[in-house]
Amino acid sequence: MDRLVIDSQGELSGKVEISGAKNAALPILMGCLLAETPVRLSNVPHLMDVTTSIQLLASMGVEIQFDENLQIEIDASQVHSKEAPYDLVKTMRASILALGPLLGRFGEAKVSLPGGCAIGSRPVNIHIEGMQKMGATIEMDQGYILASVDGRLKGAEIDMSPVTVTGTENLLMAAVLAEGTTVLRNAAREPEVTDLARFLVKMGAKISGIGTETLTVEGVEALKGVEYSVIPDRIEAGTYLAAAALTQSRLTVTSVTPEHLTAVLDKFKEAGAEIECTADTITLDMRGRRLKPVDIETDPYPAFPTDMQAQFLVMNAVADGESKVIETIFENRFMHVSELVRMGADIRVEGNTAFIRGVEKLKGAPVMATDLRASASLILAGLIAEGKTVINRVYHIDRGYELIEEKFHKIGAHIYRSND
């Protein structure tokens, strides 16, 4: 099984080009099921979850082609299966996003309950209850969601609580072809949700309130294929910036949208980093300074994202002082703490709060990745640890970071993959 090996080194430098956002690409790929003519997508990252999504679409009869520019053409005009089988989706929770478009366009769907990172419960009851309000008949059978509707879905007013990204995306895709008006209240506002909404609008959907807590959808008869470019991955950008902060480096990330990272950049500044932004770049400079501790509390966008919690926890582990990190989104997202403690971190977890006392140094050790962002945090820890760090179960990181070794190599990191 592959593992990543990291040797401690000094400063990083240069530029990192940020890939397309996985969490935007996955719902957009599923949204292609709604189009009656071919869709051409660009800036789609080459990741395991993307590959799984493409395999899933192909299993339904969707025709998929790649061109020399790595654009993907997706033709869902001849869909013959409305099933997302367990064998294809057991590792990927985004598979639930096939439910809305299949039900909305074809009136039926059989979707396996999803898998993915074991970071806490991610109930799909909001997805199901919302579609039932729109007239769908839904039952559970042997781990599958069986959904059907007589004719078209009907517009409805749906209050979502708590805020759910995939729930908002699924119900949005179900609503665009529904008969009448659908109002989604307490909708997620993440940039990836906004990207999906803009993609659907470009295909002919009528959606107002994009980027706000209330989305209003006027159902249309059909959607057409378009060309669309996926937004940059704000979490990948934040991870490389965290690497620069930890190694007391100056680093620029390119092909980014800085306003998507406002809450994260504010915390980098609080930690002592200098930040400079242009329209599509962010430069972090931490040369000659030790990190200051920063308290973190995760919350839905536009607040601090849960997907950057693990990276900042590593920063706090070597900061000059004490801090705490409160996780409000997932109840089991401190699994990386025990691995960081093995490397010398002083972290104590009580409930949903981690209390951290910064130490001078971490030490390399064999560690095990438990989920996608935990993998990233262990790489960051390895960059500053004395000696060699070996990270096992790196398939998690391949689900969310494109060409991670190559990108770190280019900026001076000593990291390589081994299957010894």
Side-chain angles (χ1 to χ4, degrees):
M1 186 176 291
D2 280 3
R3 61 196 65 174
L4 286 175
V5 181
I6 306 162
D7 286 323
S8 179
Q9 67 275 298
E11 289 185 22
L12 306 175
S13 63
K15 297 180 180 180
V16 178
E17 184 174 1
I18 298 305
S19 302
K22 181 197 80 160
N23 289 340
L26 299 183
I28 287 173
L29 283 167
M30 292 301 112
C32 293
L33 287 166
L34 293 162
E36 296 185 350
T37 53
V39 175
R40 288 178 63 84
L41 298 179
S42 58
N43 204 37
V44 177
H46 298 275
L47 302 168
M48 288 299 297
D49 280 6
V50 170
T51 299
T52 301
S53 296
I54 289 172
Q55 291 172 339
L56 174 58
L57 292 173
S59 75
M60 298 176 184
V62 177
E63 292 188 7
I64 300 170
Q65 295 181 332
F66 299 84
D67 67 16
E68 64 278 6
N69 297 318
L70 298 180
Q71 289 189 325
I72 307 174
E73 182 172 290
I74 299 171
D75 184 353
S77 61
Q78 303 296 322
V79 171
H80 57 68
S81 171
K82 288 82 176 180
E83 179 178 351
Y86 173 75
D87 285 347
L88 271 177
V89 305
K90 59 186 176 183
T91 63
M92 185 184 69
R93 66 185 174 89
S95 58
I96 190 70
L97 292 170
L99 182 62
L102 286 174
L103 187 59
R105 182 177 171 201
F106 302 105
E108 60 177 303
K110 180 180 179 181
V111 178
S112 172
L113 288 169
C117 290
I119 56 175
S121 65
R122 309 186 193 212
V124 297
N125 59 300
I126 294 174
H127 307 234
I128 292 171
E129 292 167 4
M131 292 180 198
Q132 287 174 327
K133 285 187 176 181
M134 298 170 73
T137 299
I138 297 180
E139 59 184 73
M140 309 298 293
D141 182 43
Q142 296 183 322
Y144 279 85
I145 302 170
L146 306 180
S148 62
V149 63
D150 186 11
R152 293 170 64 188
L153 292 170
K154 302 292 191 295
E157 296 199 4
I158 302 170
D159 292 301
M160 295 176 287
S161 182
V163 176
T164 162
V165 170
T166 54
T168 300
E169 292 167 340
N170 226 347
L171 294 172
L172 183 62
M173 289 190 283
V176 291
L177 294 179
E179 184 179 326
T181 301
T182 300
V183 180
L184 302 178
R185 293 194 174 88
N186 202 32
R189 299 162 58 190
E190 273 71 3
E192 296 79 14
V193 177
T194 296
D195 204 34
L196 172 65
R198 288 173 175 162
F199 168 67
L200 296 172
V201 167
K202 194 170 184 181
M203 290 201 298
K206 295 181 179 179
I207 305 170
S208 59
I210 294 174
T212 74
E213 296 176 351
T214 303
L215 295 171
T216 302
V217 185
E218 301 287 344
V220 297
E221 292 283 342
L223 298 180
K224 64 181 186 305
V226 293
E227 293 189 6
Y228 197 80
S229 180
V230 175
I231 60 170
D233 193 320
R234 61 194 170 106
I235 304 302
E236 184 193 19
T239 300
Y240 285 104
L241 293 173
L246 279 159
T247 56
Q248 296 179 306
S249 304
R250 185 181 190 275
L251 185 70
T252 298
V253 292
T254 66
S255 302
V256 295
T257 307
E259 55 264 35
H260 290 169
L261 281 157
T262 299
V264 174
L265 296 181
D266 286 346
K267 287 298 180 180
F268 277 125
K269 293 173 185 175
E270 189 178 332
E274 293 181 1
I275 300 289
E276 296 179 8
C277 298
T278 69
D280 61 355
T281 70
I282 304 170
T283 299
L284 183 146
D285 193 342
M286 195 68 192
R287 293 173 297 182
R289 294 185 296 279
R290 185 179 176 188
L291 286 163
K292 299 176 183 177
V294 293
D295 291 339
I296 299 291
E297 181 170 353
T298 64
D299 260 321
Y301 189 86
F304 191 91
T306 181
D307 280 353
M308 282 299 300
Q309 175 255 100
Q311 297 89 317
F312 268 77
L313 195 147
V314 177
M315 289 168 54
N316 280 335
V318 293
D320 186 14
E322 298 184 3
S323 59
K324 63 181 178 182
V325 173
I326 302 173
E327 173 59 56
T328 72
I329 307 298
F330 297 120
E331 72 274 14
N332 196 22
R333 208 165 199 180
F334 284 131
M335 291 188 292
H336 49 289
V337 167
S338 60
E339 303 301 299
L340 294 174
V341 169
R342 284 171 49 80
M343 299 177 71
D346 184 350
I347 307 171
R348 173 174 53 89
V349 175
E350 293 184 6
N352 70 336
T353 304
F355 297 90
I356 307 109
R357 291 180 179 175
V359 298
E360 288 283 344
K361 295 178 181 178
L362 299 179
K363 295 183 179 181
V367 292
M368 185 171 294
T370 52
D371 62 72
L372 171 55
R373 305 308 169 185
S375 305
S377 74
L378 296 177
I379 289 177
L380 297 181
L383 291 174
I384 56 169
E386 287 185 338
K388 183 180 292 184
T389 299
V390 180
I391 303 174
N392 295 284
R393 288 172 50 175
V394 297
Y395 57 83
H396 284 294
I397 207 159
D398 293 334
R399 292 181 46 236
Y401 289 88
E402 183 178 43
L403 302 173
I404 192 161
E405 304 106 284
E406 289 89 337
K407 290 187 178 184
F408 267 118
H409 277 150
K410 287 181 180 179
I411 56 176
H414 303 157
I415 178 173
Y416 63 91
R417 189 172 295 236
S418 170
N419 57 9
D420 294 340

